[in-house]
Amino acid sequence: MPTTILGEMSDDLLIPKKKLDYLIRSAPYRYKVYQIPKNSGSGFRTIAQPAREVKKIQYWVIKNVFPSYSVHQAASAYMKGKNIFQNAEAHASKPYLLKLDFEDFFPSIKGDDFLKYSKTNNSLSLSTADLQRLVRILFRLPERNNDFQLSIGAPTSPFLSNAIMFEFDSLLFSYCSENNISYTRYADDLAFSMHDMKQRGEVLQKVKIVLKSLSFPTLKLNKRKTVFGSKAHRRLVTGLILTNAGEVSLGRDNKRRIRAQIHHLLQGKLSDEGKKYLRGMLSFARDVEPKFIERMKNKYGEQTIKNI
């Protein structure tokens, strides 16, 4: 790993040092900001996408810096070889479920948290100046705000959030392993499954204790999204259904959506974008619930599904 990020980046990206230094210093302000409705239907989520030139240097960091950062095995989001099916499958065999959610997860992770994290990571030997450069490359500085924060929309935010959460994940994973509890975290969604329903409350208290004990980052639970689940009710983890038979299912809504898209396709009413979406959904369904794909082949014809 280079000891001088500015020089190494300049050589790799063929950008003069003076121009690159200016780009890095101005990077926190080079974001296109817009809002999209939240999935819950209440309120909006702020998306901040870095400008193309900022993305270019962020991808350099992904390639040259991030390989030195560790991510805990409990973190399922944005990791190569992991997906929402594996995240849900980890909880399918246990009858009781606790789901927790962080408030404003990405924006709650600050530039100072990254600096504190960097002090705990001995795999890199970076100068103070280089660490400050990384803060400006990786974090956004909103208007009328003095705190650098991770943005929803930057390619570097997902992995960096997982790395900074390593201690949190380690402490909870250790506790859960000792108590026969399964734990996974998919970004801001925490899922715990167990055989003893009393453990749900115990885990909730443990999470609160761990959050208070951390020197970074400062996170809060979204109390409105705390869910105590069991086989008596529908158990949903990262959008997938945990069945009482200990399996993972797409769920009725996803299946209905796929059937409707196939029907529209056969009527010639599906756009090119819709076809791409349907192709992706069928591919995902094949991994999650292959029996459903077989039913679609029987209903619409094997060749039809293959052609999609």
Side-chain angles (χ1 to χ4, degrees), residues 62 65 121 133 141 196 211 255-256 263:
I62 290 174
V65 178
N121 190 310
R133 289 188 180 102
L141 192 60
D196 185 350
L211 285 175
K255 292 176 185 177
R256 188 182 301 115
H263 182 69

Side-chain angles (χ1 to χ4, degrees), residues 38 44-46 101-110 113 149-152 161 187-188 217-222 224-225:
K38 290 184 177 180
F44 292 85
R45 190 182 306 280
T46 299
D101 186 273
F102 290 125
E103 283 188 5
D104 300 322
F105 180 55
F106 276 10
S108 294
I109 298 177
K110 311 296 185 183
D113 297 326
Q149 62 185 41
L150 279 189
S151 72
I152 303 173
S161 69
D188 56 351
T218 301
L219 298 172
K220 294 181 180 180
L221 293 175
N222 187 338
R224 293 173 298 174
K225 291 190 176 182

Side-chain angles (χ1 to χ4, degrees), residues 52-65:
R52 189 184 343 179
E53 61 272 17
V54 176
K55 278 187 180 179
K56 186 175 182 179
I57 59 177
Q58 287 179 342
Y59 280 118
W60 185 93
V61 172
I62 290 174
K63 180 180 178 181
N64 294 276
V65 178

